[in-house]
Amino acid sequence: MYCGRVIAPRESAPPGFLRLAGHPLRWQLLSELARSDRQVRELKVLTGERQSLVSYHLGQLRAGGLVSMRRSSADRRDAYYRIDLVRCGE
């Protein structure tokens, strides 16, 4: 009879990318941004979600470095979001 101690595998949190991208709406936003840069209002229509919810999740993706935002060069009023494929690849 074996009386030794069984060592349980160390539990660890999933990598940051998975925590961020694992949310269904954030995954949908990343998928849309992989196709093209988009404005919040476009993403709102494509996802069928409220603008405030889309903006919140874009903020989470920006904070995680998976998405960046740029202003239009014409008048700097419109904001366009883009996926950072290099960062996502890391």
Side-chain angles (χ1 to χ4, degrees):
M1 176 182 273
Y2 180 73
C3 295
R5 218 172 52 160
V6 175
I7 300 174
R10 195 174 94 185
E11 292 197 29
S12 62
F17 173 81
L18 292 179
R19 285 193 310 271
L20 281 171
H23 186 279
L25 179 55
R26 289 194 291 258
W27 183 255
Q28 188 177 5
L29 293 171
L30 288 171
S31 298
E32 290 299 336
L33 293 173
R35 291 183 182 94
S36 178
D37 295 359
R38 304 268 188 200
Q39 294 177 304
V40 174
R41 66 176 174 249
E42 292 174 298
L43 292 167
K44 173 193 169 298
V45 170
L46 291 167
T47 62
E49 297 292 345
R50 297 182 324 268
Q51 183 169 337
S52 60
L53 187 62
V54 171
S55 293
Y56 170 79
H57 286 287
L58 284 171
Q60 296 292 305
L61 292 169
R62 281 183 70 194
L66 301 180
V67 166
S68 62
M69 188 266 300
R70 66 175 172 81
R71 295 280 177 186
S72 68
S73 57
D75 59 10
R76 313 229 4 110
R77 290 191 318 200
D78 293 327
Y80 291 87
Y81 289 85
R82 75 176 83 175
I83 190 169
D84 186 340
L85 292 173
V86 173
R87 178 81 169 126
C88 289
E90 292 173 358

